[in-house]
Amino acid sequence: MPAETIASEESWIIIVATQENQEKEETNAEAVKSAFGAKNRARLIARYFAEGEDTQCAAVDAWAHVYRLLLWIDQTTGLAHCYESDKSQPGKPWYGRSLAFHDWLSNALGTSPADLAHRIDWLFLRATEDLAAEVLRRAVKIEHATRQQRAPYSGRGFPKPGEDPELMTIVKDALDKYLGTPPPDEVWQRLIQQIRQYLTLENKRKNLVGEGFEDVLAEIVRRTCSASPLDVRARRLLQDIPGFNPPKKNEKPNKVDLAIVRPSMRTLVTAKWSVRADREKQFAADFGDYVQAESDGKPFEYVFVTNEFDPARLMRACEKLATNAPMFTHVVHISTDALKATYSGSKEPSMRRIVEFIDSGRLISLERWLTLLQTA
DNA sequence: AATGGCCACTTTATGGTTTC
DNA sequence: GAAACCATAAAGTGGCCATT
């Protein structure tokens, strides 16, 4: 594996970066300062659609774009992630469902179960390249300062940054018998740093999935509905949407995940890749704020878009009432086909219930929602 | 086994301050 | 007056744990 090493007499900074990154950086003169930030996400999403064949973005393929861009493989099972990791371990019920989902997805994307990993997670992989480049730039920048800080203590065997002796012992003990010659210090250090980077990388993902989901949906709506006059924005202030008052003083302004404004209707979207109980409570609180702030005396839609696979959570979203009418105008899942395939081997009533909701039109697919937006 | 809920994790955005 | 720097709030998610 090619690596960039910043050598110094003490050799304590070893940054791992792929050759590919380095080349990209040279051609890509502009440096990305916030790899996961709104600006870079927009740049990457634009690039994704520019490189693909489906530039217009057909409603029927919308789910595939979302999954190619955002879905990932669970490291512990090797399968496409559709539920909490601890419940998706081999032998537990959601392992079977994860297998079914993985099977459905590789088929639907026209690839094999073994190759699926390379067909998804586009956004995270690209953003991660930018992040690595930025980390490298920063390390170079502060290298001098770090060396000065350590200078007074040189020669006294102070621990080096990023050494992690415990992790090193684990690896050493495991391989001891098989190593003819003990590897040099730099090799150890690079290995340890690579392991740590690999492990921490996964934690960063949730950071990108959240707002990245909002951005991807916004872009898909824009491209799918390019024929009709509509204004789509992610994280728009409620007060900036026509017909909604600013908050009373001392109350903090409310941001809407996705706001779609058409001549005929204002649609406020809450977009959550997945759901937890605490987030469910937020739905009703937000809706209350929206109703409070409405100033035109005209109806608006409140839509929930998600990739949640838990039937209980989906059911509550479908059934939730505000006053005595359904709170959500639509409950939208990225792929109701994926849901059905994932549940197909399960006889639990909760899952049958969801299939009924799908069949009755209460829980609709992203494709269906986009066509509704196009026609209204 | 399913449910409900808490919170650790990580980054960005923002606003203020300092430096050149 | 731009830039660089710093501290802090906010956001969103998945893992995890206790309870049903």
Side-chain angles (χ1 to χ4, degrees), chain A residues 55-69:
Chain A
T55 308
Q56 268 291 305
C57 187
V60 66
D61 295 322
W63 70 267
H65 293 309
V66 174
Y67 282 166
R68 282 199 205 102
L69 279 161

Side-chain angles (χ1 to χ4, degrees), chain A residues 227-248:
Chain A
S228 32
L230 84 186
D231 179 18
V232 190
R233 274 180 249 179
R235 299 172 295 284
R236 192 177 184 184
L237 281 175
L238 183 62
Q239 66 211 66
D240 292 344
I241 303 169
F244 288 95
N245 286 326
K248 293 163 195 155

Side-chain angles (χ1 to χ4, degrees), chain A residues 12-247:
Chain A
W12 35 259
I13 297 184
I14 297 170
I15 303 292
V16 182
T18 63
Q19 193 69 44
E20 206 186 344
N21 292 339
Q22 296 305 302
E23 280 160 14
K24 279 227 177 74
E25 215 195 324
E26 278 160 28
T27 56
N28 220 359
E30 49 152 346
V32 175
K33 60 174 181 1
S34 301
F36 291 4
K39 200 175 150 195
N40 198 38
R41 291 196 308 263
R43 186 183 71 95
L44 289 172
I45 291 168
R47 198 178 115 199
Y48 168 86
F49 282 109
E51 284 175 5
E53 298 135 37
D54 192 19
T55 308
Q56 268 291 305
C57 187
V60 66
D61 295 322
W63 70 267
H65 293 309
V66 174
Y67 282 166
R68 282 199 205 102
L69 279 161
L70 294 170
L71 194 73
W72 67 97
I73 296 289
D74 182 319
Q75 287 179 326
T76 65
T77 60
L79 300 174
H81 184 285
C82 67
Y83 205 59
E84 269 109 282
S85 181
D86 58 324
K87 288 141 187 135
S88 305
Q89 293 308 303
K92 302 209 168 188
W94 277 90
Y95 186 62
R97 290 165 198 151
S98 296
L99 285 165
F101 176 56
H102 193 97
D103 186 36
W104 176 87
L105 186 60
S106 32
N107 258 321
L109 288 180
T111 185
S112 69
D115 207 41
L116 179 61
H118 304 113
R119 304 298 184 89
I120 58 178
D121 214 12
W122 195 94
L123 200 57
F124 184 67
L125 291 175
R126 295 309 178 288
T128 298
E129 287 175 3
D130 296 330
L131 186 72
E134 170 63 9
V135 167
L136 183 64
R137 273 192 299 274
R138 256 182 230 154
V140 170
K141 229 170 156 181
I142 60 167
E143 188 204 358
H144 180 66
T146 311
R147 198 181 302 163
Q148 283 195 326
Q149 287 171 322
R150 288 179 59 89
Y153 308 96
S154 83
R156 293 177 49 197
F158 264 66
K160 294 166 188 169
E163 221 174 28
D164 200 337
E166 248 178 286
L167 177 56
M168 200 155 124
T169 310
I170 292 171
V171 179
K172 247 180 184 158
D173 288 353
L175 296 179
D176 212 19
K177 282 187 283 206
Y178 305 97
L179 294 175
T181 52
D185 268 8
E186 309 90 71
V187 174
W188 273 120
Q189 273 183 68
R190 193 158 68 227
L191 173 64
I192 297 303
Q193 287 195 8
Q194 271 182 297
I195 292 173
R196 293 195 65 92
Q197 269 187 24
Y198 175 73
L199 294 175
T200 53
L201 198 62
E202 200 56 28
N203 269 333
K204 304 178 199 295
R205 174 190 303 284
K206 4 186 187 276
N207 222 312
L208 188 71
V209 149
E211 294 194 346
F213 187 42
E214 299 166 0
D215 293 338
V216 167
L217 285 176
E219 191 57 25
I220 285 177
V221 171
R222 249 176 239 127
R223 285 176 190 263
T224 311
C225 305
S226 57
S228 32
L230 84 186
D231 179 18
V232 190
R233 274 180 249 179
R235 299 172 295 284
R236 192 177 184 184
L237 281 175
L238 183 62
Q239 66 211 66
D240 292 344
I241 303 169
F244 288 95
N245 286 326

